[in-house]
Amino acid sequence: MEVLQKTPLCRFVDACLRGCGQVMFQNNALTGFLFFVGIFYNSWQLGVCAVLGTAASTLTAMALGADKGLIKNGLFGFNGTLAGIALPFYFVFSPDLLIYVVLNAALTTVIMSALANFLGKWGMPALTAPFVLATWILMFCASKFGFLQAGSLLSISIPDPHATVEIGSLSVMTFMDGITKGIGEVMFEDSMVTGIIFIIAIAVNSRISALFAIFGSLIGLVTALVMQSPEAPLRLGLYGYNSVLCAIAMGGLFYYLNWKTFLYATFCMIIGSIAQASISVLLAPIGMPSLTWPFVIVTWMFMFASHDFEHIAAVPAAVLGTPEHNLKHP
Amino acid sequence: MEVLQKTPLCRFVDACLRGCGQVMFQNNALTGFLFFVGIFYNSWQLGVCAVLGTAASTLTAMALGADKGLIKNGLFGFNGTLAGIALPFYFVFSPDLLIYVVLNAALTTVIMSALANFLGKWGMPALTAPFVLATWILMFCASKFGFLQAGSLLSISIPDPHATVEIGSLSVMTFMDGITKGIGEVMFEDSMVTGIIFIIAIAVNSRISALFAIFGSLIGLVTALVMQSPEAPLRLGLYGYNSVLCAIAMGGLFYYLNWKTFLYATFCMIIGSIAQASISVLLAPIGMPSLTWPFVIVTWMFMFASHDFEHIAAVPAAVLGTPEHNLKHP
Amino acid sequence: MEVLQKTPLCRFVDACLRGCGQVMFQNNALTGFLFFVGIFYNSWQLGVCAVLGTAASTLTAMALGADKGLIKNGLFGFNGTLAGIALPFYFVFSPDLLIYVVLNAALTTVIMSALANFLGKWGMPALTAPFVLATWILMFCASKFGFLQAGSLLSISIPDPHATVEIGSLSVMTFMDGITKGIGEVMFEDSMVTGIIFIIAIAVNSRISALFAIFGSLIGLVTALVMQSPEAPLRLGLYGYNSVLCAIAMGGLFYYLNWKTFLYATFCMIIGSIAQASISVLLAPIGMPSLTWPFVIVTWMFMFASHDFEHIAAVPAAVLGTPEHNLKHP
């Protein structure tokens, strides 16, 4: 990808592609490109907003004078990607909404830098918290403003703990759909094909990460299954996507892969799936979604915790690479 | 104001007046005095509670042995002022409520010191977070206790994102009322005259801050207008007051005023206005108000963030002054 | 208790007993043993889950390689104790639930270590936050999953601030029941006898702490009484248990006992009681309980704050002991 470093525009495109790749922790322009392909395959509106969001958050970082190394590696892009997709996913698409996409993406850059400053004291990453916080601030207000036309996915419910849960019938498709869509839903893509494209895209950069993505989606689904979730959300991958992100982060990326860290990562994925249900319940009275907050808080907990766990060996931030790279440089 | 340093009582009065001034970041006894005048003009009950709250939080700080320099500059007063006014604003006034005002104000002093310790690691200010957190703790409980008689401003609602928003008709008065009341509502004053007194009071200490207060109120209003808010809250200044505080803080006070920081501040004001709607929605199911939390979290985000933004030049804490002073000592 | 250090199993049992004792800050195996006795007296199901939770969180800490000194002193046990009891308290008991107890307890160990890392920057203790956060994550999801059968204590309500509060009639039993159960409810024990056993258990290690437990329960009850709470929750000790924990922590344990710190501790207990009502209201729309979060946030506030209060003398972490020990080593 030497060509991508030739001109300022090329470098900007490279940063945006890496930014999209960083949604799943892949610092690789080709991965990012394939992610965009997967998104456009499912919906051109989501695709346009993904590109616009990535570009807007990256440009904002450049305009504000953020660290050039971070920008180059796409670390001011991935929250913009997600911030871009989330809006047309939950609200009726219109040209006006594109302005809001830019605003949301720009805000993720501010929050990214704020969290980098805050969490830097512990050497912790911001993960997708900037995306979640910015998007919550910009979407909770929907009932107050005519500008935002809520789509069918937003609806209020009172989550009665005594509610009877109808499970419905499981089939092979519950798993086939659930696992692939669990990976797709990381970027709001309710599509099996897109999920498969995402797996390939990750594998381009790291086959271990791709395997962990699949494993995380499976663990998330199985956890919710054991907890006796209805079949519908399982099949939609709703209990998978947070665990997918937990799995990629904890599986050989921030930790040296061995059976102890593998079990630790699996524990994290299980809690990520349960937290998805719990955060959804917390926001149900205002009809708002959990986004990737379950992943963020659970992974923060597990990463903050490991600092004092002798048996859980974290990779020092300075030498972080792909799981394959980390394995070769223990 | 030399006379105000002569006796312990005079110094205490000076600290309280500065405390009231610090509600809008003005370390100036005359500003504080005029703020009190504005509050009493609108309502003697709010005025009494404002004075009582300021005195109680300042005395608590003295009793606990807080830093004398901070007390002198009113930094243990302004949260008490707000904590004092908020209670009779939301609850039926009675002599008993004055005890609760003292309790609330005293609690702000504890939280102020706690946040100073916590945020000190990053050199960040507590802003009005002590007021918000103390007041939330003391007012959320209203439905559980007979002591608190809720007034008409507290009401539960289920904020349906699919709700149809009726905008109503705009007029010049929407802007005249909205902008002045937006400044008044920083201290819960639903009065155009009080808003104007507040502007004059700020101008006594800093004309730049006064201009930013007006500009912030305008930006907050226009943001909500563009977002298609109903007319009523616009006119009440409800989308202005958080942006007013964002504007004063970000406009030349914590940052050297130039066009880059000006744009950054404006971005902050826009988000402050949207966040007002979003935090209100979040608390709607329990019928509780956002207070100045939108200002607090948004300004924290923007201030934490700027640490790593090369183009956004913050004023070092040790040499902070009025915007005019900062401009002269770049 | 020399015998408890002889073999690895004995040391493990010792750590678990101390862990149970640490629920109320008592690093004493006999105290922990008596706590278990009190719990079993009230309910064998709660007792089994308390033991299982304590063992599971302690074993998890050993498996992950947490600090041996902390494990030995029960600091990875007490959140597991509470995490264990909370589940059968709120959900229908079944053998399956025991698996969930283990999961919840294991999660408290992760969160304990995470908070130790986070709060270590200020030398602040995690208190029972790991228990609360883990249990919230694992129980909020109840309405989404068939696995959890909510008991009668979980119910949704819309907390209208305009609700009329019926106080009912007070009697001596309001106080007798309220004060003892307030201590029992720290571990979800709705039993006067268990409350008395707990007092004795604390007194085994520190008579000052036992007195503060009683005093805290009284202050919590009286605060809610003055606030005009209905009689029923007073009698159940619901406004006592958070103040009990505030009282033990602030009363001579983390602070040198003198009349200034005594007043400071009392202020903390009062706010702890009010916060119990407020956090309950916040969670009412999803029908979930406040657990000991009111104690946690209020005590954090007061402990973070005292760092800069000259008149409030904290005991340095390195020499922390019982209140009696602290008094002898000023």
Side-chain angles (χ1 to χ4, degrees), chain B residues 128-177:
Chain B
T128 55
F131 147 62
V132 176
L133 297 175
T135 306
W136 275 351
I137 291 176
L138 264 64
M139 76 184 283
F140 281 6
C141 57
S143 61
K144 298 271 187 184
F145 294 139
F147 178 82
L148 291 166
Q149 300 291 329
S152 59
L153 292 171
L154 295 178
S155 70
I156 285 175
S157 70
I158 299 296
D160 190 338
H162 294 274
T164 309
V165 176
E166 295 287 343
I167 294 181
S169 60
L170 299 169
S171 70
V172 176
M173 286 314 292
T174 309
F175 287 84
M176 299 290 280
D177 261 5

Side-chain angles (χ1 to χ4, degrees), chain C residues 180-264:
Chain C
T180 51
K181 289 188 178 177
I183 296 165
E185 289 289 356
V186 169
M187 295 204 243
F188 304 95
E189 306 304 320
D190 177 21
S191 155
M192 204 170 166
V193 173
T194 298
I196 292 168
I197 296 175
F198 284 1
I199 295 170
I200 296 166
I202 302 170
V204 163
N205 191 51
S206 163
R207 275 165 293 178
I208 295 177
S209 285
L211 287 173
F212 267 107
I214 298 167
F215 183 68
S217 196
L218 175 69
I219 291 289
L221 192 157
V222 169
T223 300
L225 187 65
V226 170
M227 295 291 292
Q228 300 170 37
S229 160
E231 196 261 357
L234 296 182
R235 189 158 176 175
L236 283 166
L238 290 188
Y239 290 114
Y241 72 93
N242 283 289
S243 302
V244 166
L245 289 169
C246 293
I248 301 175
M250 306 291 293
L253 184 70
F254 288 119
Y255 295 93
Y256 291 107
L257 190 54
N258 58 43
W259 71 267
K260 284 179 186 170
T261 59
F262 175 77
L263 288 178
Y264 193 62

Side-chain angles (χ1 to χ4, degrees), chain B residues 63-66 100 103 106-107 110-111 113-114 117-118 121-122 137 140-141 143-147 150-151 154 156 286, chain C residues 121-122 158-162 165 227-230 239 264 267 274 277-278 281-282 285 301 304-305 307-311:
Chain B
L64 290 167
Y100 216 53
L103 195 70
L107 183 55
V110 172
I111 302 179
S113 187
N117 182 10
F118 184 83
K121 291 260 184 281
W122 298 269
I137 291 176
F140 281 6
C141 57
S143 61
K144 298 271 187 184
F145 294 139
F147 178 82
L154 295 178
I156 285 175
I286 59 166
Chain C
K121 290 260 184 280
W122 298 269
I158 298 297
D160 190 338
H162 294 275
V165 176
M227 295 291 292
Q228 300 170 37
S229 160
Y239 290 114
Y264 193 62
F267 186 18
I274 296 173
S278 287
V281 164
L282 192 60
M301 283 174 181
F304 265 99
H307 184 267
D308 294 323
F309 290 151
E310 211 183 308
H311 301 162

